[in-house]
């Protein structure tokens, strides 16, 4: 997947979000660091272009809600979560780069629950690579990418990685 | 910056790298935010058991660790010296081995002997967090002081931090010195020559015995409590004389820059090392230190307790 294909996919997701959410002003795009945050920003840009509306964005870090604490020999840095409050009556769309086992999304839902009780939670992912370990599916998918379990899917974004594209290794 | 944490213990700040200190401070940013949530609790250490083992009395540090553990969903038991078998002649190692046999995952230790946390860390699989050992180190206090300076001033590099008081007996001073000099601050120690010997200059700091020469140039003033319980007559000039020579009085506070921070690890002796007007004044960040202490301790417990051992 190259830069043009990523742009096209995210623009389509923006259209789908507008279509599925008649009350688009109630939507919060909550990115999972670090690439989910950048993807959420881009989707918000497209929504602004299409509908002339600024929708809220936020950051939801899942590290402290993961279920594998105590099993790793090294820990990554935890980022600060930041959501516009209150969440009551809002639609929070979790945004991530790759949807895989679903465990990160479960942790994100748990984290959102500690900020309040949104009306609904939806899920957008640039890539869905399959191999779910939990009953979770995405509402918006940029591209379905069938992979083998041992393969590694890498999303690279200009603002974070200095290059743009999706690679399977 | 190194983006990984790999230590099971926090024994002191002297042995930490600059990257590791910054890693803890950044992790604390994330945990400080948890305090602003509707539900101020995350499942990070669910199922873990933390033992607060305080052989020396302390209310504020112990409750701060306890609350930090609660907010991380860990289970906590508190053991104090008077209530433990140490008074019945059991050795420190035997007590700790017994705690480990109960599957304690994290041991927070306050002890009057320097090196006690290291002694246990080398012998136990559990994480050991030093909550103050003798006159050696009090790493979470050093970290929360650095965190507060960084939060209020936006940086630490190139700031002039003045630490006033009983440096010789102070583990808080040592942890502050190691942490702040690593992060690029200029540190000056002030106090009577009996309590602030010139030897400290070997740690890369300046020593002064004249507070009035130092205050006008300070970006941060950190006042240490006069530890009456550790003082011996020959070291200490007496409370009245100390206040006259080294107390941050209302009159002296006028010499400070408008944006100078006034800090104190508590508990404060009002009218001895600091006047009430200054402790409660606009420059004081003493209560911010308490709030930040919680975030820093959550970060330390999460990092050391969340590692596979």
């Amino acid at each position: 997947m190259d830069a043009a294909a990523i742009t096209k996919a995210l623009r389509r997701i923006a259209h789908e979000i507008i279509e599925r959410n008649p009350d688009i002003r109630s939507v919060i795009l909550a990115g999972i660091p670090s690439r989910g945050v950048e993807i959420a920003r881009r989707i918000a840009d497209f929504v602004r272009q299409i509908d002339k509306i600024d929708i809220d964005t936020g950051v939801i870090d899942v590290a402290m809600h993961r279920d594998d604490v105590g099993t790793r020999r090294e820990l990554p840095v935890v980022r600060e979560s930041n959501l516009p409050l209150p969440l009551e009556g809002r639609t929070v769309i979790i945004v991530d780069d790759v949807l895989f086992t679903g465990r990160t999304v479960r942790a994100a839902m748990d984290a959102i629950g500690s900020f309040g009780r949104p009306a609904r939670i939806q899920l957008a992912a640039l890539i869905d690579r399959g191999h779910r370990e939990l009953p979770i599916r995405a509402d918006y998918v940029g591209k379905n990418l069938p992979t083998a379990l041992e393969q590694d899917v890498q999303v690279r974004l200009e603002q974070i990685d200095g290059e743009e594209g999706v690679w399977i290794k | 910056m190194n983006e990984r944490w790999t230590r099971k213990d926090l024994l002191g700040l002297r042995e930490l790298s600059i990257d590791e200190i910054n890693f803890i401070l950044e992790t604390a940013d994330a945990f400080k935010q948890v305090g602003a949530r509707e539900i101020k609790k995350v499942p990070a250490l669910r199922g873990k058991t933390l033992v607060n083992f305080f052989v020396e009395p302390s209310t504020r540090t112990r409750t701060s660790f306890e609350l930090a553990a609660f907010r991380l969903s860990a289970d906590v038991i508190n053991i104090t010296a008077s209530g433990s078998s140490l008074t019945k002649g059991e050795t420190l190692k035997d007590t700790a081995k017994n705690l480990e046999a109960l599957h304690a995952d994290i041991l927070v230790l306050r002890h009057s002997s320097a090196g006690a946390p290291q002694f246990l860390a080398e012998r136990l699989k559990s994480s050991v967090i030093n909550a103050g050992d003798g006159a050696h180190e009090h790493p979470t206090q050093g970290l929360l002081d650095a965190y507060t300076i960084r939060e209020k001033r936006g940086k630490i590099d190139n700031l002039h931090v003045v630490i006033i008081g009983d440096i010789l007996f102070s583990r808080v001073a040592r942890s502050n010195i190691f942490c702040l000099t690593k992060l690029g601050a200029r540190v000056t120690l002030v106090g009577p020559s009996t309590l602030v010997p010139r030897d400290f200059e070997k740690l890369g700091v300046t020593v002064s015995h004249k507070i009035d020469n130092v205050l006008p140039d300070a970006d941060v003033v950190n006042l240490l409590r006069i530890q009456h319980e550790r003082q011996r007559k020959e070291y200490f000039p007496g409370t009245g004389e100390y206040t006259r020579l080294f107390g941050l009085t209302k009159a002296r506070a006028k010499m400070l820059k408008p944006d100078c921070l006034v800090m104190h690890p508590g508990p404060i002796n009002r009218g001895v090392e600091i006047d009430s007007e200054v402790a409660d004044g606009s420059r004081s960040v003493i209560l911010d230190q308490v709030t930040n202490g919680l975030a820093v301790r959550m970060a330390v417990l999460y990092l050391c307790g969340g590692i596979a051992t």
Side-chain angles (χ1 to χ4, degrees), chain B residues 147-195:
Chain B
Y147 185 92
T148 304
I149 296 170
R150 168 180 167 276
E151 177 184 68
K152 296 291 169 189
R153 300 297 301 263
K155 61 162 194 171
I156 290 174
D157 191 36
N158 274 324
L159 291 183
H160 184 203
V161 180
V162 177
I163 304 174
I164 303 171
D166 171 7
I167 311 288
L168 185 62
F169 295 101
S170 174
R171 53 196 173 214
V172 175
R174 273 179 186 73
S175 287
N176 262 275
I177 292 166
F178 297 137
C179 188
L180 294 171
T181 52
K182 279 178 210 255
L183 298 177
R186 202 150 51 83
V187 177
T188 303
L189 310 177
V190 179
S193 54
T194 46
L195 296 175

Side-chain angles (χ1 to χ4, degrees), chain B residues 213-232:
Chain B
N213 296 351
V214 179
L215 288 183
D217 183 50
D219 296 306
V220 177
V221 175
N222 198 351
L223 299 149
L224 302 182
R225 185 174 65 92
I226 293 304
Q227 306 188 67
H228 298 291
E229 68 275 21
R230 287 183 218 277
Q231 292 303 345
R232 294 211 308 259

Side-chain angles (χ1 to χ4, degrees), chain A residues 1-3 6 126 154-158 163-167:
Chain A
M1 209 173 176
D2 61 9
I6 292 176
L126 176 60
Q154 286 188 355
V155 172
R156 317 271 287 166
L157 299 174
E158 192 64 49
E163 59 177 344
E164 181 106 357
V166 180
W167 286 271

Side-chain angles (χ1 to χ4, degrees), chain B residues 51-63 65 79-81 86 92 107-114 116-117 120 128-134 137-141 171-172 225 227 229-230 265-267 297:
Chain B
V51 176
N52 256 333
F53 192 19
F54 278 63
V55 180
E56 244 190 3
S58 154
T59 306
R60 114 185 16 226
T61 304
R62 185 180 55 74
T63 48
F65 270 110
I79 298 174
T80 53
L86 286 175
L92 178 63
L107 183 62
V108 176
L109 181 67
R110 159 73 57 99
H111 202 280
S112 54
S113 297
L120 291 183
V128 177
I129 312 293
N130 180 4
D133 60 332
E137 281 222 47
H138 189 352
T140 56
Q141 181 70 45
R171 53 196 173 214
V172 175
R225 185 174 65 92
Q227 306 188 67
E229 68 275 21
R230 287 183 218 277
R297 290 184 177 113

Side-chain angles (χ1 to χ4, degrees), chain B residues 48-54 62-63 65-67 69-70 73-80 95-96 98-109 301:
Chain B
K48 301 254 181 195
T49 303
L50 178 143
V51 176
N52 256 333
F53 192 19
F54 278 63
R62 185 180 55 74
T63 48
F65 270 110
E66 192 170 352
L67 191 51
F70 286 154
S73 306
D75 299 304
V76 180
I77 44 175
N78 289 299
I79 298 174
T80 53
T95 304
N98 276 278
L99 295 172
E100 195 169 59
L102 295 169
H103 302 291
D105 301 288
I106 305 168
L107 183 62
V108 176
L109 181 67
L301 294 179

